[in-house]
Structure formats: structure tokens, C-alpha cells
Amino acid sequence: MKAKSIAIFAAASPLLASAFTMPSSSSSPSSSFALRSSSSSKSDVVSIDVSDLGLTTADLEKKIPIHNFSIESSGYQSTSRIPDVNDDGCYWVENPTDLDVTLRIPGLRGQPAECLSVLFSTTTVSIAAFGRVVWSAIQMGISNADECSFLTLDGEDGIPIIQMNVAKRDLDEGDRWGGYILQVGEDSIL
């Protein structure tokens, strides 16, 4: 059990371990590996027996299937066209299949949430107030517009909140967008 804990701890600690050395034996699979600390020299190699885990070198060389785990990333972006203004009005959370985006655009202050609508296309998004497009943006990737949805809510300080779920297209490529807004549209009047 102690070897299992050490192996798991070592694998999960990139600050403590920077390199794994696998013995190269083509005749028989190995049940041990060596661990070299990032601060130590090559002569300070620690060998750990992992035979109780039932792993072989071949097991460690297999590709990890993407569907076995999910990595979520998130961040803030500005909704302003002015380069010096960072209003953090766009909060996005990216999953492998979609993005959850929350917009709080300061230029919409005072607009009732019920008057807002969102128009999706494969590469852009537009926000309309009372039927007139007042803000738009180019997305970082290509979306499946038919599977996108939105919800508008009244927010603090009179700034409405627009929550969107943006479905990604071309999922088999596995590319991450790394954000939502590539560029705020030139037709944005806010």
C-alpha cells in the first residue's frame, strides 16, 4: 500500500518530480520505474516498485482515451471594443463539447432582460435589444448554432445578465477554444 501511495503522489506532483525513467527491456515487461527529482542530479535516482499495482511498461505507454476524463477551463474576457478597457464582462467555462458563457455588458445598463435576444451563427454571436443588434462578437471557434441556447436575467446595477450555452462543432478534433470572444464586432454600438 505504501508503494501505491508513493507512486500516486509522485505522479501527481510535477513540482517534486520532473522526469520518469523507464527501464528499456524488450524481453519482459517491467514492474518498476525510476523517479528523478527536478532538483537532483542524474545520480540521485529513486527506484519505486509498483508490482502490487499490476502495471507494466506497456500499460504506461498506452494513449489515454479522451472520453475517460474531462478537463474544464475558464476565464474572463472584455466585452468592450476599446483596447484599454477590460470590463471582464464575459465569463466563460469551456468543456470538451460546449462552452457556458455569462455576459454582463455594461453598455446594456438599464435595458430590461426581457427585451434582449441572442442570435447565433457558426462563427458569431449577436445581442439584440428591442429587435436591434447592439453588440456582436466573433467566436474563438466554430459552433453548432442549432444547439446553442440562451437565458436573460435582470442583474445587479441594472446590467442584464445573458447566459449562453454554446455547442461546439467538430468535436472529434478535440481542439480547445481557450476563450469565447475572438473579437468584438465593429457594428457594436455599445
Side-chain angles (χ1 to χ4, degrees), residues 52-135:
D52 61 330
L53 296 177
L55 293 174
T56 65
T57 304
D59 293 331
L60 298 173
E61 292 173 352
K62 289 181 184 175
K63 284 184 78 175
I64 300 173
I66 192 76
H67 63 274
N68 285 353
F69 63 92
S70 172
I71 298 174
E72 185 177 270
S73 57
S74 64
Y76 286 89
Q77 291 179 284
S78 178
T79 60
S80 176
R81 279 198 47 78
I82 304 169
D84 297 338
V85 175
N86 186 9
D87 59 17
D88 287 337
C90 174
Y91 174 69
W92 54 270
V93 177
E94 183 175 10
N95 299 301
T97 58
D98 64 359
L99 280 95
D100 291 317
V101 180
T102 301
L103 295 175
R104 290 184 36 90
I105 303 170
L108 291 175
R109 185 181 313 273
Q111 299 297 323
E114 295 81 13
C115 80
L116 300 175
S117 63
V118 179
L119 308 166
F120 295 100
S121 76
T122 56
T123 57
T124 64
V125 64
S126 300
I127 309 294
F130 294 106
R132 180 182 175 140
V133 174
V134 293
W135 185 89

Side-chain angles (χ1 to χ4, degrees), residues 6 33 51 57 90 96 109 112 140:
I6 291 172
F33 67 91
S51 59
T57 304
C90 174
R109 185 181 313 273
M140 295 277 252

